[in-house]
Amino acid sequence: MTTFTASSTGQPLRGTNTRRPSHRHQGAMPQGVHTSRDPVQGRDSTARSLLNSQARTGLLASLPALSPRMHKLLVHGDQESAYSPNNRQRGGKNTASSDHAWAVTRALAADAVRVGWDRASFVQVLVDGPYKAGHHARSIQHRRGYDRAAEWVRRAWDGAKEHVGATDRICTRQDFHSSLAAFRARVERTPWKGIAGKTDLRNLIARMEICTRSGGWDHTVSERELAERMGCSRTTARNSNQRLLGERLLRQLDKGSATEGARWMLISPVHRSSHHWTTPQGPKAGGAMSGSTVRHSPPEADISSLAAARLMHLDAFAHYGLGGSGLALVAALAEREGQTVQELQCAASISRATAYRQLRKLLELGLVLRDGEVYALSPRATEGIGERTHLAQVPVSGWEEVATRLGTGGTARRRRQQHEAHRLSWALYQQIRAERRRPSNDGSHPSEAEPQYLRADGVVINPSTGEVLDGLYRASDGRWIVHHG
């Protein structure tokens, strides 16, 4: 592309305190006694249940149901920071709360448009409702009045409605693959410059392959699995994820668990105006993109992401081998044969010096053939089999041989072994923790009143002496209560 608190309806116990009992009763008091001024157990779960019940019977009762994810986003807010813009200043303080609220509101508006809400209902739910997603709108109302807050929400609605109307809704698997093909074409024609850009390209290509198998934009992948698919280290994959999150090309839906990877979503960023939409005033005339200045768009890249997906995990394209620039050059030649150095610079988004250096390597390996100023892949170059030329007297016979010649052989195998060692170490640690864990107590809870402490009339006594214990009572739920008058 924010805080509603519900209190428990139960009445607290009154006239009690947390003073320790007298010395006369210390030995007879059962362990685990709860006093009435202790924190109420399960208060958060009570608040959540009240919030959910209000969501089912409140303003949302007469409206079409949102999707489960959007309903959770509306009621509980962005708990996983999936819509966070990742703009932070020194000290870790978030300086873009308005951007975050705008992204959440736009996401909710898009889903509300799809299920059939109207604009007035959406404004009422966010501004008048108690839901966390409307916190920013209510703060605008508090500071600037209801009209400003309603205008901000209406602008989010109008933009989302325009976006939904301009895009086709994905209803079937065929619709998704059509959208994925358009996204793939956009990625292939985007210049990914530098080492970081080539790493991000690998990241997106790996995720597109995962989404192709899963049949949706949501996908689950761990950092180690992603690194193995990209052909890089885990740290490099993590840094690439952070860059894609900052560029709004990727969204993290949850953080995963100890045994499952995190859930992600590929997203396509929308057009941004010269004036930021998150301000109450909205976009205005002027800015960097206004005026009659003619801006020439840079030449588009043109690579084959399918060819890159088949090759990028190989040792030959490791960092000290052909690398990301060599992968982009081979993918560009796989997309269109017969290109000059200038054309390859634009198609692969590499510099002139890098193009000549990589072409020299590929010519010596027999994977690229030269005809004057035009370069093309050998007939079986995608299989790592080269052709004999005057520059390649001994052509390679496979990608393993290419990696051996470049000194990167066995990189992927060592990476997999390291990841497997990490998994085994974690499993061993969990086993040791399970062995050291104390067995659970199968008896009653220590705060529950045991029968030997109760007389026939319900008075609490010391079972050893029969003495009545003043200030100790049995509650209706069967647990102890300490009361000092």
Side-chain angles (χ1 to χ4, degrees):
M1 290 296 78
T2 296
T3 308
F4 171 70
T5 58
S7 61
S8 175
T9 58
Q11 295 294 330
L13 300 175
R14 300 179 182 275
T16 61
N17 55 37
T18 56
R19 289 184 301 175
R20 296 181 61 87
S22 62
H23 180 74
R24 182 167 58 94
H25 294 154
Q26 285 184 7
M29 179 174 292
Q31 296 181 353
V33 174
H34 291 278
T35 63
S36 60
R37 296 188 61 180
D38 287 341
V40 179
Q41 299 294 328
R43 179 172 294 175
D44 294 338
S45 60
T46 305
R48 286 193 296 268
S49 62
L50 291 176
L51 191 58
N52 289 332
S53 63
Q54 183 168 357
R56 291 192 298 268
T57 60
L59 297 174
L60 303 180
S62 60
L63 297 174
L66 299 174
S67 64
R69 180 188 302 164
M70 291 296 107
H71 179 80
K72 179 181 178 182
L73 180 64
L74 172 65
V75 177
H76 299 296
D78 188 13
Q79 295 177 326
E80 301 292 341
S81 299
Y83 297 87
S84 176
N86 295 324
N87 294 336
R88 297 182 181 276
Q89 64 179 9
R90 182 179 300 176
K93 182 179 179 181
N94 194 348
T95 60
S97 60
S98 60
D99 294 351
H100 179 247
W102 179 258
V104 171
T105 307
R106 281 291 296 265
L108 289 171
D111 194 66
V113 169
R114 293 190 181 99
V115 299
W117 288 22
D118 55 34
R119 190 172 71 170
S121 299
F122 185 71
V123 173
Q124 183 183 16
V125 167
L126 286 190
V127 180
D128 298 334
Y131 312 110
K132 284 190 176 182
H135 174 74
H136 189 76
R138 293 191 294 273
S139 67
I140 295 178
Q141 177 188 8
H142 177 71
R143 290 182 285 109
R144 302 188 178 185
Y146 181 86
D147 293 339
R148 287 293 185 93
E151 179 187 355
W152 185 81
V153 178
R154 291 191 197 103
R155 191 165 60 251
W157 172 274
D158 295 339
K161 186 175 181 179
E162 180 181 357
H163 175 71
V164 171
T167 56
D168 297 329
R169 186 175 184 180
I170 298 177
C171 301
T172 63
R173 193 178 184 91
Q174 289 73 17
D175 295 340
F176 165 72
H177 284 291
S178 177
S179 300
L180 181 62
F183 183 82
R184 184 185 297 274
R186 182 174 181 177
V187 170
E188 292 174 343
R189 287 170 172 77
T190 299
W192 301 93
K193 298 183 179 180
I195 297 177
K198 298 298 185 294
T199 304
D200 296 345
L201 174 62
R202 292 190 184 202
N203 195 332
L204 290 176
I205 292 175
R207 292 181 182 277
M208 286 191 292
E209 294 301 309
I210 299 174
C211 290
T212 301
R213 292 174 173 82
S214 64
W217 296 112
D218 298 4
H219 57 280
T220 302
V221 63
S222 64
E223 287 183 352
R224 293 184 178 90
E225 180 185 356
L226 182 64
E228 293 174 5
R229 288 176 175 269
M230 294 170 56
C232 63
S233 67
R234 180 185 177 186
T235 303
T236 302
R238 183 189 301 115
N239 294 337
S240 176
N241 288 338
Q242 295 301 318
R243 288 193 297 269
L244 293 179
L245 287 171
E247 291 295 329
R248 308 288 182 87
L249 292 172
L250 188 65
R251 180 174 296 150
Q252 187 173 1
L253 302 180
D254 61 39
K255 300 182 183 300
S257 64
T259 57
E260 296 182 1
R263 284 202 314 124
W264 306 82
M265 175 188 287
L266 284 176
I267 56 178
S268 181
V270 297
H271 173 71
R272 298 179 182 177
S273 63
S274 59
H275 193 88
H276 209 284
W277 279 90
T278 59
T279 59
Q281 293 81 10
K284 294 183 178 180
M289 298 301 294
S290 62
S292 59
T293 304
V294 177
R295 295 177 179 270
H296 300 281
S297 58
E300 289 186 345
D302 191 11
I303 65 171
S304 173
S305 61
L306 297 178
R310 293 193 300 267
L311 301 176
M312 63 183 182
H313 67 281
L314 300 175
D315 294 340
F317 295 95
H319 178 65
Y320 291 103
L322 295 175
S325 57
L327 177 66
L329 194 148
V330 172
L333 289 175
E335 179 68 18
R336 183 167 66 89
E337 291 284 354
Q339 299 188 56
T340 63
V341 174
Q342 290 76 14
E343 292 173 337
L344 286 173
Q345 282 183 247
C346 299
S349 303
I350 55 179
S351 65
R352 184 181 183 89
T354 301
Y356 275 114
R357 183 175 68 253
Q358 294 292 353
L359 286 173
R360 181 72 179 182
K361 290 182 182 180
L362 295 171
L363 285 170
E364 293 176 352
L365 296 171
L367 298 176
V368 169
L369 305 178
R370 179 179 179 180
D371 184 9
E373 298 296 326
V374 178
Y375 296 87
L377 292 177
S378 61
R380 303 181 63 184
T382 55
E383 303 174 17
I385 301 176
E387 289 287 324
R388 184 183 178 88
T389 62
H390 67 285
L391 290 177
Q393 297 296 328
V394 184
V396 293
S397 58
W399 288 115
E400 293 184 0
E401 184 177 349
V402 174
T404 302
R405 291 193 185 186
L406 297 176
T408 57
T411 303
R413 175 180 53 81
R414 291 191 295 270
R415 182 180 299 116
R416 289 192 299 269
Q417 291 177 351
Q418 183 184 30
H419 292 169
E420 187 62 26
H422 291 169
R423 297 186 182 98
L424 292 176
S425 176
W426 180 86
L428 179 60
Y429 174 70
Q430 295 300 318
Q431 181 180 357
I432 294 175
R433 287 190 59 188
E435 293 174 353
R436 294 178 178 178
R437 188 178 297 117
R438 293 185 301 176
S440 59
N441 185 13
D442 296 335
S444 60
H445 194 275
S447 65
E448 293 181 359
E450 300 179 4
Q452 62 268 24
Y453 286 90
L454 299 174
R455 209 165 58 184
D457 55 357
V459 177
V460 182
I461 63 173
N462 187 339
S464 301
T465 63
E467 181 184 5
V468 177
L469 301 179
D470 297 330
L472 188 61
Y473 302 93
R474 181 181 180 273
S476 58
D477 60 355
R479 299 199 174 189
W480 297 114
I481 295 179
V482 177
H483 174 74
H484 295 279

Coordinates of all heavy atoms in Angstrom, one line a residue, residues 259-321:
T259 N 9.7 -24.2 12.8 CA 9.7 -25.3 11.9 C 9.1 -25.0 10.5 O 9.2 -25.8 9.6 CB 8.9 -26.5 12.4 OG1 7.5 -26.0 12.7 CG2 9.5 -27.0 13.7
E260 N 8.6 -23.8 10.3 CA 8.0 -23.3 9.1 C 8.5 -22.0 8.7 O 8.8 -21.1 9.6 CB 6.5 -23.3 9.1 CG 5.8 -24.7 9.4 CD 4.3 -24.5 9.4 OE1 3.8 -23.4 9.2 OE2 3.6 -25.6 9.6
G261 N 8.7 -21.8 7.4 CA 9.2 -20.5 6.9 C 8.1 -19.4 7.0 O 6.9 -19.7 7.3
A262 N 8.5 -18.2 6.8 CA 7.6 -17.0 6.8 C 6.7 -17.0 5.6 O 7.1 -17.6 4.6 CB 8.4 -15.7 7.0
R263 N 5.6 -16.4 5.7 CA 4.7 -16.2 4.6 C 4.9 -14.9 4.0 O 4.9 -13.9 4.7 CB 3.2 -16.4 5.0 CG 2.8 -17.9 5.3 CD 1.3 -18.0 5.1 NE 0.5 -17.0 5.9 CZ -0.4 -16.3 5.3 NH1 -0.6 -16.4 4.0 NH2 -1.1 -15.4 6.0
W264 N 4.9 -14.8 2.7 CA 5.2 -13.6 2.0 C 4.2 -13.4 0.9 O 3.4 -14.3 0.5 CB 6.6 -13.6 1.3 CG 7.7 -13.9 2.3 CD1 8.1 -15.2 2.7 CD2 8.6 -13.0 2.9 NE1 9.2 -15.1 3.5 CE2 9.5 -13.7 3.7 CE3 8.7 -11.6 2.8 CZ2 10.5 -13.1 4.4 CZ3 9.7 -11.0 3.6 CH2 10.6 -11.8 4.4
M265 N 4.2 -12.2 0.3 CA 3.3 -11.9 -0.8 C 4.0 -11.0 -1.8 O 4.6 -10.0 -1.4 CB 2.0 -11.2 -0.4 CG 1.1 -10.8 -1.5 SD -0.3 -9.8 -1.0 CE -1.3 -11.0 -0.3
L266 N 4.0 -11.4 -3.1 CA 4.5 -10.5 -4.1 C 3.5 -9.4 -4.4 O 2.3 -9.7 -4.6 CB 4.9 -11.3 -5.3 CG 6.2 -12.1 -5.3 CD1 6.3 -12.9 -6.6 CD2 7.4 -11.2 -5.1
I267 N 3.9 -8.2 -4.5 CA 3.0 -7.1 -4.8 C 3.6 -6.3 -5.9 O 4.8 -6.2 -6.1 CB 2.7 -6.2 -3.6 CG1 4.0 -5.7 -3.0 CG2 1.9 -7.0 -2.6 CD1 3.7 -4.8 -1.8
S268 N 2.7 -5.6 -6.7 CA 3.1 -4.7 -7.7 C 2.8 -3.3 -7.3 O 1.7 -2.9 -7.0 CB 2.4 -5.0 -9.0 OG 2.8 -4.2 -10.1
P269 N 3.8 -2.4 -7.2 CA 3.6 -1.0 -6.7 C 2.8 -0.2 -7.7 O 2.9 -0.4 -8.9 CB 5.0 -0.4 -6.5 CG 5.8 -1.2 -7.5 CD 5.2 -2.6 -7.5
V270 N 1.9 0.6 -7.1 CA 1.1 1.5 -7.9 C 1.8 2.8 -8.2 O 2.8 3.1 -7.6 CB -0.3 1.8 -7.2 CG1 -1.0 0.5 -7.0 CG2 0.0 2.5 -5.9
H271 N 1.3 3.6 -9.2 CA 1.9 4.8 -9.6 C 1.8 5.8 -8.4 O 0.8 5.9 -7.8 CB 1.2 5.4 -10.8 CG 1.7 6.8 -11.2 ND1 2.9 7.0 -11.7 CD2 1.0 8.0 -11.1 CE1 3.1 8.3 -11.9 NE2 1.9 8.9 -11.6
R272 N 2.9 6.6 -8.2 CA 2.9 7.6 -7.1 C 2.9 9.0 -7.7 O 3.6 9.2 -8.7 CB 4.2 7.4 -6.2 CG 4.2 6.0 -5.5 CD 5.5 5.9 -4.7 NE 5.6 4.6 -4.1 CZ 6.6 4.2 -3.3 NH1 7.6 5.0 -3.2 NH2 6.6 3.1 -2.8
S273 N 2.1 9.9 -7.2 CA 2.1 11.2 -7.7 C 3.2 12.0 -7.0 O 3.9 11.6 -6.2 CB 0.7 11.8 -7.3 OG 0.6 11.9 -5.9
S274 N 3.3 13.3 -7.5 CA 4.4 14.2 -7.0 C 4.2 14.6 -5.6 O 5.1 15.0 -4.9 CB 4.6 15.4 -7.9 OG 3.4 16.1 -8.0
H275 N 2.9 14.7 -5.2 CA 2.5 15.1 -3.8 C 2.0 13.9 -3.1 O 1.2 13.1 -3.6 CB 1.5 16.2 -3.8 CG 1.4 16.9 -2.5 ND1 2.1 17.9 -2.1 CD2 0.5 16.6 -1.5 CE1 1.8 18.3 -0.9 NE2 0.8 17.5 -0.5
H276 N 2.4 13.6 -1.9 CA 2.1 12.4 -1.2 C 0.6 12.3 -0.8 O 0.0 13.3 -0.4 CB 2.9 12.3 0.1 CG 3.2 10.9 0.5 ND1 2.2 10.1 1.1 CD2 4.3 10.1 0.3 CE1 2.7 8.9 1.3 NE2 3.9 8.9 0.9
W277 N 0.0 11.2 -1.0 CA -1.4 11.0 -0.8 C -1.8 10.9 0.6 O -3.0 11.0 1.0 CB -1.9 9.7 -1.6 CG -2.1 9.9 -3.0 CD1 -1.2 9.8 -4.0 CD2 -3.3 10.4 -3.6 NE1 -1.8 10.1 -5.2 CE2 -3.1 10.4 -5.0 CE3 -4.6 10.7 -3.1 CZ2 -4.1 10.8 -5.9 CZ3 -5.6 11.1 -4.1 CH2 -5.3 11.1 -5.4
T278 N -0.9 10.7 1.5 CA -1.2 10.4 2.9 C -1.5 11.7 3.7 O -2.0 11.7 4.8 CB -0.1 9.7 3.6 OG1 1.1 10.5 3.6 CG2 0.2 8.4 3.0
T279 N -1.3 12.9 3.1 CA -1.6 14.1 3.8 C -3.1 14.4 3.6 O -3.7 14.1 2.6 CB -0.8 15.3 3.2 OG1 -1.1 15.4 1.8 CG2 0.7 15.0 3.3
P280 N -3.7 15.1 4.6 CA -5.1 15.4 4.4 C -5.4 16.3 3.2 O -6.5 16.2 2.7 CB -5.4 16.1 5.7 CG -4.4 15.7 6.7 CD -3.2 15.5 5.9
Q281 N -4.4 17.1 2.7 CA -4.7 17.9 1.5 C -4.7 17.1 0.2 O -5.3 17.6 -0.7 CB -3.6 19.0 1.4 CG -3.7 20.0 2.6 CD -3.0 19.5 3.8 OE1 -2.3 18.5 3.8 NE2 -3.2 20.2 4.9
G282 N -4.0 16.0 0.2 CA -4.0 15.2 -1.0 C -3.0 15.8 -2.1 O -2.2 16.7 -1.8
P283 N -3.0 15.2 -3.3 CA -2.0 15.7 -4.3 C -2.4 17.1 -4.8 O -3.5 17.5 -4.9 CB -2.1 14.7 -5.4 CG -3.5 14.2 -5.3 CD -3.8 14.2 -3.8
K284 N -1.3 17.9 -5.1 CA -1.5 19.2 -5.6 C -0.7 19.4 -6.9 O 0.1 18.6 -7.2 CB -1.1 20.3 -4.5 CG -1.9 20.3 -3.3 CD -1.5 21.4 -2.3 CE -2.3 21.4 -1.1 NZ -1.9 22.5 -0.1
A285 N -1.1 20.5 -7.6 CA -0.4 20.8 -8.8 C 1.1 21.2 -8.4 O 1.3 21.8 -7.4 CB -1.1 21.9 -9.5
G286 N 2.0 21.0 -9.4 CA 3.4 21.3 -9.1 C 4.1 20.1 -8.7 O 3.7 19.0 -8.7
G287 N 5.4 20.3 -8.4 CA 6.2 19.2 -8.0 C 7.3 18.9 -9.0 O 7.4 19.5 -10.1
A288 N 8.0 17.8 -8.8 CA 9.1 17.5 -9.6 C 8.7 17.1 -11.0 O 9.4 17.3 -12.0 CB 10.0 16.5 -9.0
M289 N 7.5 16.5 -11.1 CA 7.1 15.9 -12.4 C 6.2 16.9 -13.2 O 5.6 16.5 -14.2 CB 6.3 14.6 -12.2 CG 7.2 13.5 -11.5 SD 8.6 13.1 -12.5 CE 7.9 12.4 -13.9
S290 N 5.9 18.1 -12.7 CA 5.1 19.0 -13.4 C 5.9 19.9 -14.4 O 7.1 19.9 -14.4 CB 4.4 20.0 -12.4 OG 5.3 20.7 -11.7
G291 N 5.2 20.6 -15.2 CA 5.8 21.4 -16.2 C 6.0 20.8 -17.5 O 5.5 19.6 -17.8
S292 N 6.6 21.5 -18.5 CA 6.7 21.0 -19.8 C 8.0 20.3 -20.1 O 8.4 20.1 -21.3 CB 6.5 22.2 -20.8 OG 7.5 23.2 -20.5
T293 N 8.8 20.0 -19.1 CA 10.1 19.4 -19.3 C 9.9 18.0 -19.8 O 9.1 17.2 -19.3 CB 10.9 19.3 -17.9 OG1 11.0 20.6 -17.4 CG2 12.2 18.7 -18.2
V294 N 10.6 17.6 -20.9 CA 10.5 16.3 -21.5 C 11.5 15.4 -20.8 O 12.7 15.7 -20.7 CB 10.8 16.4 -23.0 CG1 10.8 15.0 -23.6 CG2 9.8 17.3 -23.7
R295 N 11.1 14.3 -20.3 CA 11.9 13.3 -19.6 C 12.0 12.1 -20.5 O 11.0 11.5 -20.8 CB 11.4 13.0 -18.2 CG 11.4 14.2 -17.3 CD 10.8 13.8 -15.9 NE 10.8 14.9 -15.0 CZ 11.8 15.2 -14.2 NH1 12.9 14.4 -14.2 NH2 11.8 16.3 -13.4
H296 N 13.2 11.7 -20.8 CA 13.4 10.5 -21.7 C 13.5 9.3 -20.7 O 14.4 9.3 -19.9 CB 14.6 10.7 -22.6 CG 14.5 11.8 -23.5 ND1 13.8 11.8 -24.7 CD2 15.0 13.1 -23.4 CE1 13.9 13.0 -25.3 NE2 14.6 13.8 -24.5
S297 N 12.7 8.3 -20.9 CA 12.8 7.1 -20.1 C 14.0 6.3 -20.5 O 14.4 6.2 -21.7 CB 11.5 6.2 -20.3 OG 11.4 5.9 -21.7
P298 N 14.7 5.7 -19.5 CA 15.9 4.9 -19.8 C 15.5 3.7 -20.6 O 14.4 3.2 -20.6 CB 16.4 4.5 -18.4 CG 15.2 4.6 -17.6 CD 14.3 5.7 -18.1
P299 N 16.4 3.2 -21.4 CA 16.1 2.0 -22.2 C 15.8 0.8 -21.3 O 16.3 0.6 -20.2 CB 17.4 1.7 -23.0 CG 18.5 2.4 -22.2 CD 17.8 3.6 -21.6
E300 N 14.8 0.0 -21.8 CA 14.3 -1.1 -21.0 C 15.3 -2.3 -21.1 O 15.9 -2.5 -22.1 CB 12.9 -1.6 -21.5 CG 11.9 -0.6 -21.1 CD 10.5 -1.1 -21.5 OE1 10.4 -2.1 -22.2 OE2 9.5 -0.5 -21.0
A301 N 15.3 -3.1 -20.0 CA 16.1 -4.3 -20.0 C 15.2 -5.4 -20.7 O 14.0 -5.2 -20.9 CB 16.4 -4.7 -18.5
D302 N 15.8 -6.5 -21.0 CA 15.1 -7.5 -21.7 C 15.9 -8.8 -21.5 O 16.8 -9.1 -22.2 CB 15.0 -7.2 -23.2 CG 14.0 -8.2 -23.9 OD1 13.3 -8.9 -23.2 OD2 14.0 -8.2 -25.2
I303 N 15.4 -9.6 -20.5 CA 16.0 -10.9 -20.2 C 15.0 -12.0 -20.2 O 13.8 -11.7 -20.2 CB 16.8 -10.8 -18.9 CG1 15.8 -10.6 -17.7 CG2 17.9 -9.8 -18.9 CD1 16.4 -10.8 -16.3
S304 N 15.4 -13.2 -20.1 CA 14.5 -14.3 -19.9 C 14.6 -14.8 -18.5 O 15.6 -15.4 -18.1 CB 14.9 -15.5 -20.9 OG 14.2 -16.6 -20.6
S305 N 13.6 -14.5 -17.7 CA 13.6 -15.0 -16.3 C 13.5 -16.5 -16.2 O 14.0 -17.0 -15.2 CB 12.5 -14.3 -15.6 OG 11.2 -14.7 -16.1
L306 N 12.9 -17.1 -17.1 CA 12.8 -18.6 -17.1 C 14.2 -19.2 -17.2 O 14.5 -20.2 -16.5 CB 11.9 -19.1 -18.2 CG 10.4 -18.6 -18.1 CD1 9.6 -19.2 -19.2 CD2 9.8 -19.1 -16.7
A307 N 15.0 -18.7 -18.1 CA 16.4 -19.2 -18.3 C 17.2 -18.9 -17.0 O 18.0 -19.7 -16.6 CB 17.0 -18.6 -19.5
A308 N 17.0 -17.7 -16.5 CA 17.7 -17.3 -15.2 C 17.3 -18.2 -14.1 O 18.2 -18.6 -13.2 CB 17.5 -15.9 -14.9
A309 N 16.0 -18.6 -14.0 CA 15.6 -19.5 -12.9 C 16.2 -20.9 -13.0 O 16.5 -21.5 -12.0 CB 14.1 -19.6 -13.0
R310 N 16.5 -21.3 -14.2 CA 17.1 -22.7 -14.4 C 18.6 -22.6 -14.0 O 19.2 -23.7 -13.7 CB 16.9 -23.2 -15.8 CG 15.5 -23.5 -16.1 CD 15.4 -24.3 -17.4 NE 16.0 -23.5 -18.5 CZ 15.3 -22.8 -19.4 NH1 14.0 -22.6 -19.2 NH2 15.9 -22.1 -20.4
L311 N 19.2 -21.4 -14.1 CA 20.7 -21.4 -14.0 C 21.2 -20.8 -12.7 O 22.4 -21.0 -12.3 CB 21.3 -20.6 -15.2 CG 20.9 -21.1 -16.6 CD1 21.5 -20.2 -17.7 CD2 21.5 -22.5 -16.8
M312 N 20.4 -19.9 -12.1 CA 21.0 -19.1 -11.0 C 21.5 -19.8 -9.8 O 22.3 -19.3 -9.0 CB 20.0 -18.0 -10.6 CG 18.7 -18.5 -10.0 SD 17.6 -17.1 -9.6 CE 16.2 -18.0 -8.9
H313 N 21.0 -21.0 -9.6 CA 21.4 -21.8 -8.4 C 22.7 -22.6 -8.6 O 23.2 -23.2 -7.7 CB 20.3 -22.8 -8.0 CG 20.1 -23.9 -9.0 ND1 19.3 -23.7 -10.1 CD2 20.5 -25.2 -9.0 CE1 19.3 -24.8 -10.8 NE2 20.0 -25.7 -10.1
L314 N 23.2 -22.6 -9.8 CA 24.4 -23.4 -10.2 C 25.6 -22.7 -9.6 O 25.7 -21.5 -9.5 CB 24.5 -23.5 -11.7 CG 23.3 -24.3 -12.4 CD1 23.5 -24.2 -13.9 CD2 23.2 -25.7 -11.8
D315 N 26.7 -23.5 -9.4 CA 27.9 -23.0 -8.9 C 28.6 -22.1 -9.8 O 29.3 -21.2 -9.4 CB 28.9 -24.2 -8.5 CG 28.4 -25.0 -7.4 OD1 27.5 -24.5 -6.6 OD2 28.8 -26.2 -7.3
A316 N 28.3 -22.2 -11.1 CA 29.0 -21.4 -12.1 C 28.6 -19.9 -12.0 O 29.4 -19.0 -12.4 CB 28.7 -21.9 -13.5
F317 N 27.4 -19.7 -11.4 CA 26.9 -18.3 -11.3 C 27.0 -17.8 -9.9 O 26.3 -16.9 -9.5 CB 25.5 -18.2 -11.8 CG 25.4 -18.5 -13.3 CD1 25.0 -19.8 -13.7 CD2 25.6 -17.5 -14.2 CE1 24.9 -20.1 -15.0 CE2 25.5 -17.8 -15.6 CZ 25.1 -19.1 -16.0
A318 N 27.9 -18.4 -9.1 CA 28.2 -17.9 -7.7 C 28.9 -16.6 -7.8 O 29.3 -16.1 -8.9 CB 29.1 -18.9 -7.0
H319 N 29.1 -15.9 -6.6 CA 29.6 -14.6 -6.6 C 31.0 -14.5 -7.3 O 31.3 -13.5 -8.0 CB 29.7 -14.1 -5.2 CG 30.3 -12.7 -5.0 ND1 29.6 -11.6 -5.5 CD2 31.4 -12.3 -4.4 CE1 30.4 -10.5 -5.2 NE2 31.4 -10.9 -4.6
Y320 N 31.9 -15.4 -7.0 CA 33.2 -15.3 -7.6 C 33.3 -16.1 -8.9 O 34.4 -16.2 -9.5 CB 34.2 -15.9 -6.6 CG 34.4 -15.0 -5.4 CD1 33.9 -15.3 -4.2 CD2 35.1 -13.8 -5.5 CE1 34.0 -14.5 -3.1 CE2 35.3 -13.0 -4.4 CZ 34.7 -13.3 -3.2 OH 34.9 -12.5 -2.1
G321 N 32.2 -16.5 -9.5 CA 32.2 -17.1 -10.8 C 31.7 -16.1 -11.8 O 32.2 -15.0 -11.9

